[in-house]
Amino acid sequence: MKIAYISTYPPRECGIATFNQNLMCAINANFPEMKSLLNGGFVVALNDSENIQEYEYPEEVKYVIRQNHQKDYIRAANYINTSNADVCIMEHEFGIYGGESGIYILPLLNRLEKPLISILHTILKDPSYVQRIIIREIAEQSSKIIVMSKRAVEFLTTVYDVPADKIQIIEHGVPDVEASEDNPVKNLTVFKNHRVLLTFGLISRNKGLETVVRALPKIVENHPDVMYVVLGNTHPGVIKSSGEEYRDHLKTLAAQLNVSKHLCFINKFVSEQELVDYLSATDIYVTPYLNEAQITSGTLSYAVGAGAAVVSTPYWHATELLANNRGRLFDFKNADALAENVIELLDQERLLNELKENAYEYGLHLRWPVIGAEFIKAAQESCTNHDFSDKILKNSIVDPEIMPKFSLAHVLRLTDDTGIVQHAKYGIPNLKEGYCLDDNARALIMALMAYQRSKSKEASELLPIYLSYIHYMQTEDGNFRNFLSFDRRYLDEVGSEDSFGRTIWALGYLIGCSSSNSYREFAREIFHKSFPHFKALKYLRGMANTIIGISLYLKVFPGDEGMLNEMVNLTKPLMEAFEYHQSEDWQWFEEKMTYDNAILPLALLHSCEITGNEKVKQVALKTMEFLDKLTLANGYLSPVGNDGWYHKEGTFPPFDQQAIETMAMVLMHFQAYTNFRKPQYIEKMFLCYKWFLGENTLRAPLYDHETKGCCDGLLPTGINRNQGAESTLAYLISHLTVLKAFELEYEYNKIGQYASSSLSF
């Protein structure tokens, strides 16, 4: 049987990587004729780096997925489908896949043509909406779901509504090795002549090691020969974010408690044989996790498998694995209770040995070859029961393969420490034109979207620049200027209503999605200071942009009645304008269609999403349909041109077509899908996006693969080759919106069979 494994993999330091390698070896161990891991299949490895060459993978790794590259997932599915694999085994942990809570894995699974077995390492009792969706979708795509505890089965059936007959318990495997006869660990200085407490694994704050350090004074008072050994490296993710801060904190705490001589760190990643030697040389193994939400612990399984006496906090896996006197439990963060348990066991050798014997006996059925045999049986059943015809397959509405790789190169070229320059000559910033508020507001939205998608360091560093520009342009009374010269001189006293509304939109977006509390509070301060000017807005587009910003704010603060009332008041003029101007053949807000047209129905979609107002919803749908019929009738987007506008009963102007029209269309259709969950909106959204790539009136791409910028528009004579901030940001926001929509493919691909030809405009 050939198996394709989707997982992290050594030499990447990750518990799941080690688990998957052990599982491969365990399955192969049941087939003695296999000379190497390659005979049993191959690995599709997950990289936490942009660089595919980051790790020197062994030969069984045949494909690498970069965590935050959505295209890699699609290509991996194609690789597996065209391979000789009989079945696929996926290790699942939210953090190892890209997107919100690892949602990027879903398009891969949706395309997989092989039977799938999914091993769930984390099952949350209180998942977010997205986390619940991901687990349910994984379950639907899988022939079997493997979990490692009874509590996991309970959560899957009650919290996630996964059918019980899809779930199978196979406990965490442990090394099939015995301690060395002449155990070298016992001769280490920290073990020799000491009673040893041990914790091993990747170190991070959620491990609760400070509880053991706080218990040491009481333990040492009764047993002065005790040594607490912490074996393992600091988690790589922790190293990147905060270095060795946690390890240093533990050392400082030990010094304050005068137990520094009883604490030892062995900062290394050990082999399985070494680990068993350490565990066998240990008197008591401690897992002091801080809360119950740990459905599986590989380190705990290894300790039990090695026959260690375990003292643990009562997290979910521990309560099951340490039942029937296979270990001791103490309350979370209770250093005194831990000390009492340790002292009692060290005082009474008989109790200590009982725990070790019970653990060792239970651990025999956890040894990897035994576990491997259970997985082989599960894989064989999956192959036998797999009916590929049951899986609904269709071409994805969104095809990421045709999308250029996302790049901030041109934005970085246009941005300095003041803000983003508004114009460019070809791909070169035109500093003579200075800056404007409109573009810096759009740039803030784009940078937030980019950071949300991939935690981009570049995007993160841009955020304070654009937010600072917005703050600099706010006047004392809360209004905003718009234009600033390159030498930072104000060029107007009060900006346009468009720039005001776009800024409120950007601030509302930041308030709703920023991971930085300081940014969020700063944005709220600017937002509320501008509030008195909401009532003074006179023009529909300024109102529409402001409505969108308020709606995003209200998703975070739904109880703000004053803000809700203001959004309702701003919605009324749009509704009244529609009633005044509309007729049977003119479903629009004005007597002519001018610029940024889709922003008007987009605002109503946001408004009715918050209020549920049916009349607002109906006007949004009517005007959106009217706009679609005018601009998508040819099978590609042809937005209203700026050369004369489109007057009622007049001639449709094909040029000059602007990028902000396309961006608004993309956002409008994505919001329509968000509101109504109809797949045709995703199809129209992607159709609009392809305007940038050449599906337009001139069949000419506006995205520049060389500069990574976007040309300013389509002219009758060709392309406007200048690549200013407005067009480039419109492209990038559209691109990021499409990628966000692609994450939902698992959802809209199920809502029924339909084809492009079925679209009506």
Side-chain angles (χ1 to χ4, degrees):
M1 178 180 293
K2 300 282 188 181
I3 301 174
Y5 299 84
I6 305 172
S7 176
T8 53
Y9 204 72
R12 179 176 173 182
E13 292 184 7
C14 166
I16 290 177
T18 303
F19 178 95
N20 194 78
Q21 186 179 52
N22 286 334
L23 178 59
M24 282 191 79
C25 293
I27 289 175
N28 280 23
N30 284 271
F31 301 101
E33 69 277 8
M34 289 187 180
K35 301 298 184 185
S36 74
L37 288 179
L38 274 175
N39 293 333
F42 60 88
V43 177
V44 173
L46 272 297
N47 257 27
D48 54 353
S49 166
E50 294 290 294
N51 180 10
I52 290 181
Q53 308 301 325
E54 176 79 10
Y55 301 106
E56 293 185 19
Y57 287 117
E59 60 180 352
E60 61 265 23
V61 174
K62 295 300 183 186
Y63 200 90
V64 176
I65 295 174
R66 292 164 293 179
Q67 182 173 338
N68 292 314
H69 283 248
Q70 287 170 291
K71 290 182 182 180
D72 286 2
Y73 293 83
I74 305 307
R75 292 166 183 167
N78 294 336
Y79 183 86
I80 295 169
N81 289 337
T82 55
S83 74
N84 61 356
D86 300 298
V87 65
C88 187
I89 292 179
M90 179 190 68
E91 311 288 352
H92 183 265
E93 163 67 51
F94 293 109
I96 67 174
Y97 300 107
E100 183 180 354
S101 296
I103 200 168
Y104 288 2
I105 189 61
L106 297 188
L108 187 161
L109 301 186
N110 190 57
R111 286 165 170 73
L112 203 60
E113 298 170 7
K114 311 285 185 178
L116 173 67
I117 296 172
S118 296
I119 305 170
L120 304 186
H121 291 264
T122 296
I123 304 165
L124 302 173
K125 185 179 180 181
D126 298 302
S128 69
Y129 173 80
V130 172
Q131 288 165 339
R132 186 169 182 267
I133 285 291
I134 289 170
I135 295 297
R136 291 182 68 176
E137 183 62 18
I138 288 172
E140 182 161 334
Q141 298 293 341
S142 303
S143 55
K144 279 190 180 295
I145 294 289
I146 305 298
V147 295
M148 302 177 201
S149 66
K150 295 175 184 175
R151 184 62 67 94
V153 177
E154 176 191 330
F155 288 169
L156 284 178
T157 53
T158 59
V159 178
Y160 299 88
D161 301 319
V162 176
D165 59 5
K166 265 201 174 182
I167 308 168
Q168 181 176 346
I169 297 177
I170 301 180
E171 291 190 77
H172 196 297
V174 302
D176 186 30
V177 293
E178 302 289 344
S180 306
E181 279 191 32
D182 184 17
N183 192 339
V185 172
K186 291 182 179 179
N187 295 320
L188 296 177
T189 303
V190 294
F191 278 76
K192 202 168 187 177
N193 301 319
H194 287 110
R195 308 296 296 278
V196 175
L197 314 181
L198 177 72
T199 299
F200 85 89
L202 294 173
I203 297 172
S204 58
R205 277 197 173 271
N206 65 327
K207 298 299 175 69
L209 305 183
E210 61 274 13
T211 305
V212 188
V213 176
R214 290 193 176 100
L216 281 177
K218 192 171 182 179
I219 295 171
V220 169
E221 184 181 342
N222 288 269
H223 293 276
D225 58 346
V226 159
M227 177 69 70
Y228 178 40
V229 176
V230 179
L231 171 63
N233 297 330
T234 300
H235 193 288
V238 175
I239 288 286
K240 286 180 182 178
S241 62
S242 53
E244 293 289 3
E245 181 269 337
Y246 182 50
R247 194 187 295 264
D248 293 341
H249 163 70
L250 295 172
K251 290 178 181 178
T252 301
L253 179 61
Q256 292 170 348
L257 297 173
N258 297 315
V259 290
S260 293
K261 293 181 179 179
H262 300 271
L263 172 64
C264 175
F265 290 96
I266 301 178
N267 189 9
K268 63 185 291 191
F269 197 78
V270 297
S271 67
E272 286 195 345
Q273 181 62 63
E274 288 178 295
L275 179 55
V276 171
D277 287 344
Y278 273 101
L279 288 167
S280 299
T282 295
D283 292 275
I284 297 174
Y285 182 77
V286 186
T287 54
Y289 296 161
L290 296 176
N291 59 66
E292 65 177 359
Q294 182 84 15
I295 206 78
T296 304
S297 169
T299 59
L300 179 66
S301 297
Y302 276 36
V304 169
V310 181
V311 178
S312 173
T313 49
Y315 54 91
W316 295 324
H317 193 200
T319 57
E320 290 186 32
L321 194 54
L322 301 182
N324 300 321
N325 201 33
R326 292 191 290 268
R328 292 280 189 92
L329 301 175
F330 68 96
D331 287 338
F332 299 105
K333 303 180 183 179
N334 192 331
D336 288 338
L338 169 59
E340 290 167 8
N341 272 285
V342 169
I343 292 167
E344 182 183 6
L345 291 174
L346 294 179
D347 282 346
Q348 302 185 50
E349 199 74 21
R350 178 184 61 81
L351 295 178
L352 191 66
N353 289 333
E354 276 183 13
L355 291 185
K356 289 183 176 183
E357 290 169 9
N358 292 340
Y360 181 82
E361 286 299 318
Y362 190 81
L364 290 175
H365 90 277
L366 300 180
R367 300 220 171 175
W368 273 118
V370 178
I371 297 300
E374 292 190 51
F375 272 97
I376 290 169
K377 184 179 178 182
Q380 289 170 338
E381 290 175 0
S382 295
C383 289
T384 301
N385 299 329
H386 181 61
D387 184 356
F388 180 62
S389 64
D390 286 346
K391 190 165 184 175
I392 299 173
L393 284 178
K394 55 175 74 72
N395 292 328
S396 175
I397 302 171
V398 176
D399 181 6
E401 288 292 341
I402 73 169
M403 299 174 68
K405 181 181 176 182
F406 180 80
S407 173
L408 289 170
H410 192 53
V411 166
L412 293 170
R413 194 177 299 119
L414 292 172
T415 301
D416 59 19
D417 58 357
T418 298
I420 191 165
V421 174
Q422 64 174 322
H423 292 306
K425 294 294 287 181
Y426 299 98
I428 307 302
N430 185 355
L431 305 182
K432 294 178 181 179
E433 302 292 339
Y435 317 85
C436 71
L437 186 63
D438 291 89
D439 289 337
N440 280 274
R442 290 189 193 97
L444 180 61
I445 292 172
M446 183 282 301
L448 284 163
M449 293 176 74
Y451 182 75
Q452 278 183 304
R453 178 177 172 267
S454 62
K455 299 297 182 286
S456 161
K457 184 173 182 291
E458 288 179 333
S460 176
E461 291 172 350
L462 291 171
L463 291 174
I465 295 174
Y466 304 138
L467 185 56
S468 177
Y469 182 90
I470 290 171
H471 177 247
Y472 187 65
M473 299 303 280
Q474 188 168 39
T475 59
E476 286 301 316
D477 68 353
N479 210 329
F480 297 95
R481 295 182 174 93
N482 190 6
F483 297 109
L484 189 73
S485 68
F486 184 66
D487 58 356
R488 296 186 179 178
R489 287 179 295 106
Y490 295 125
L491 299 178
D492 54 6
E493 290 302 315
V494 178
S496 67
E497 289 194 6
D498 284 0
S499 64
F500 179 93
R502 286 172 184 141
T503 303
I504 299 306
W505 181 350
L507 293 170
Y509 192 76
L510 190 154
I511 291 166
C513 73
S514 176
S515 58
S516 166
N517 193 54
S518 61
Y519 289 176
R520 181 182 293 110
E521 290 303 310
F522 191 23
R524 280 189 72 190
E525 183 179 306
I526 301 171
F527 189 93
H528 282 287
K529 188 175 180 180
S530 68
F531 179 72
H533 297 276
F534 292 5
K535 293 179 173 61
L537 294 170
K538 299 177 182 178
Y539 300 106
L540 296 185
R541 282 162 184 76
M543 294 176 186
N545 282 286
T546 304
I547 287 168
I548 296 169
I550 297 174
S551 74
L552 295 169
Y553 171 91
L554 287 169
K555 287 185 177 182
V556 186
F557 301 103
D560 191 329
E561 291 294 329
M563 204 62 73
L564 177 63
N565 290 336
E566 197 56 50
M567 189 185 75
V568 171
N569 289 336
L570 287 170
T571 302
K572 287 177 182 176
L574 270 73
M575 297 291 288
E576 291 167 356
F578 174 77
E579 288 300 323
Y580 181 78
H581 290 101
Q582 67 96 19
S583 62
E584 186 176 344
D585 59 353
W586 186 260
Q587 299 286 291
W588 198 242
F589 304 90
E590 301 161 305
E591 63 182 11
K592 61 182 177 181
M593 301 184 82
T594 57
Y595 67 97
D596 211 2
N597 292 295
I599 208 76
L600 301 176
L602 173 60
L604 295 186
L605 289 169
H606 277 278
S607 181
C608 71
E609 183 187 21
I610 297 295
T611 64
N613 187 300
E614 184 64 26
K615 288 184 178 179
V616 174
K617 169 187 165 183
Q618 291 305 319
V619 172
L621 290 171
K622 287 177 183 177
T623 53
M624 185 166 59
E625 182 181 1
F626 181 67
L627 187 57
D628 284 348
K629 284 180 178 178
L630 284 172
T631 61
L632 296 175
N634 295 321
Y636 56 83
L637 177 65
S638 181
V640 175
N642 286 6
D643 185 16
W645 311 126
Y646 179 44
H647 293 258
K648 187 175 182 180
E649 299 178 359
T651 303
F652 189 91
F655 301 104
D656 303 332
Q657 296 179 19
Q658 302 291 306
I660 59 164
E661 300 292 327
T662 303
M663 180 188 80
M665 291 288 286
V666 167
L667 293 172
M668 178 185 73
H669 285 115
F670 184 63
Q671 184 62 35
Y673 178 77
T674 301
N675 285 19
F676 310 123
R677 289 306 197 256
K678 292 184 178 180
Q680 59 263 37
Y681 295 127
I682 297 293
E683 188 166 7
K684 290 179 180 180
M685 174 209 70
F686 193 54
L687 188 63
C688 293
Y689 165 77
K690 287 189 287 186
W691 179 88
F692 292 106
L693 307 185
E695 292 199 22
N696 52 48
T697 308
L698 296 183
R699 290 297 189 266
L702 284 91
Y703 177 75
D704 186 331
H705 290 267
E706 181 181 359
T707 66
K708 314 303 180 189
C710 180
C711 297
D712 281 351
L714 283 184
L715 307 173
T717 54
I719 297 172
N720 181 338
R721 292 282 288 118
N722 294 331
Q723 298 173 15
E726 179 182 282
S727 56
T728 295
L729 291 168
Y731 167 75
L732 292 174
I733 290 172
S734 299
H735 184 104
L736 290 165
T737 301
V738 170
L739 290 179
K740 182 68 176 173
F742 182 59
E743 295 175 15
L744 303 174
E745 180 193 53
Y746 68 90
E747 182 179 83
Y748 51 72
N749 265 6
K750 287 181 189 170
I751 305 179
Q753 204 78 28
Y754 60 95
S756 297
S757 59
S758 68
L759 287 180
S760 59
F761 303 111

